[in-house]
Amino acid sequence: KIRRIMRSIGFYGSNYGIVDCQVSDLEGLIRSGVIKVTDGKPVSANAPSATIRPAVAPKVRKPETTVPKAVKGVAAAEKNLLQGDFISVGALSGDIVPDVPGLYCIKLRKGVRLPAKYGKVREDGVIYIGQASTSLNQRLWRQELNHHGAATFFRSIGAMLGYLPPKGSLAGKSTRNYKFSPEDTEAIRPWMRQSLLVNCIVVEPSAIDDIEEALIRKYCPLVNIAKNPAASAELSAARDKCVAYAKSE
């Protein structure tokens, strides 16, 4: 019923990157400023603003983002990050993620499953806690969620889903930071958009390491290996397999 009303005024979730629209997606876009509620007044389906011209792509207004204050202390970080407002990766954009240092948390959408051999996912769905020492936009948005450069989380998810980097792509190199092929990257991205929720907070750079470690040790997210007392041996093996394949001749 809600979807019918939204469509009658020309609002389509796909115009905003929403796949399988959830209430949390809509609320997240409203909070970010991508979508604005004007005066709380109902709009008639016959109003000129509701007229749809299929030949013209709808314009999405760039959100006016304001950078929130940096969170201080583990307790405040836990409350704002782990218990804060998550948005689906499908509804996220580079305009929303701030270009400042901070922490981010990624969790599975309800009903989404990872291969059971990697271990049990927490009931709250949290699977990863990470840090951006300089820029959340660069680390979270460009690297972790879109694989533009080395990305620990993206590499781990790809390995868990059974993908391998191009054979020999790291041959003769000392780095273990493999990348997937463009084709495989394009296959992984849609899965992430449909399956994952994310939240991030601003944190003072001097406190990032200590807060991240404290939260990882407490929550033991499945996809975290470093600093995790319950790190998945299966995940480590899957990543080692990718490294070996990328280094093979």
Side-chain angles (χ1 to χ4, degrees):
K1 182 178 179 180
I2 294 173
R3 182 173 61 179
R4 274 202 311 273
I5 296 171
M6 291 167 67
R7 287 181 172 177
S8 74
I9 62 172
F11 181 97
Y12 291 83
S14 58
N15 294 336
Y16 299 90
I18 297 176
V19 179
D20 183 25
C21 183
Q22 305 290 318
V23 173
S24 60
D25 298 331
L26 186 58
E27 291 177 342
L29 289 166
I30 291 171
R31 283 194 304 274
S32 69
V34 173
I35 298 169
K36 287 199 173 184
V37 178
T38 57
D39 300 328
K41 296 178 180 178
V43 180
S44 168
N46 297 319
S49 60
T51 302
I52 303 172
R53 296 183 175 88
V56 180
K59 294 182 179 180
V60 180
R61 185 173 178 272
K62 186 176 179 179
E64 299 174 0
T65 55
T66 56
V67 179
K69 292 182 179 179
V71 172
K72 296 181 179 180
V74 176
E78 181 177 10
K79 179 180 178 181
N80 287 273
L81 182 64
L82 279 299
Q83 301 164 18
D85 298 317
F86 283 76
I87 184 173
S88 76
V89 172
L92 202 62
S93 74
D95 294 327
I96 298 174
V97 184
D99 188 23
V100 293
L103 294 171
Y104 52 92
C105 179
I106 302 172
K107 66 181 182 179
L108 289 182
R109 212 168 200 156
K110 189 174 181 180
V112 176
R113 298 285 185 270
L114 288 170
K117 68 178 182 178
Y118 293 108
K120 186 178 179 181
V121 174
R122 292 174 50 88
E123 290 186 5
D124 57 13
V126 171
I127 60 171
Y128 193 78
I129 296 172
Q131 66 158 279
S133 58
T134 56
S135 170
L136 283 164
N137 189 285
Q138 176 69 22
R139 183 61 179 171
L140 172 60
W141 173 249
R142 290 184 54 78
Q143 297 178 355
E144 299 287 42
L145 300 180
N146 286 288
H147 206 34
H148 297 313
T152 304
F153 179 76
F154 199 101
R155 290 199 306 271
S156 295
I157 287 295
M160 294 172 87
L161 295 177
Y163 291 94
L164 289 169
K167 188 174 183 178
S169 54
L170 291 182
K173 299 178 181 180
S174 60
T175 180
R176 291 171 54 88
N177 293 340
Y178 58 87
K179 286 192 68 176
F180 297 106
S181 68
E183 295 77 17
D184 287 347
T185 296
E186 287 306 313
I188 297 169
R189 282 175 182 160
W191 183 91
M192 297 178 85
R193 288 195 293 268
Q194 296 175 25
S195 306
L196 303 178
L197 303 170
V198 65
N199 187 26
C200 62
I201 58 173
V202 181
V203 178
E204 290 293 340
S206 60
I208 283 182
D209 286 340
D210 291 341
I211 295 176
E212 179 198 35
E213 181 171 355
L215 294 178
I216 291 175
R217 288 188 175 281
K218 179 175 180 178
Y219 284 82
C220 297
L222 177 60
V223 187
N224 282 96
I225 294 178
K227 307 174 185 177
N228 187 350
S232 168
E234 288 286 353
L235 174 55
S236 294
R239 288 183 47 162
D240 287 345
K241 178 180 178 181
C242 286
V243 172
Y245 193 76
K247 287 181 176 292
S248 63
E249 298 289 350

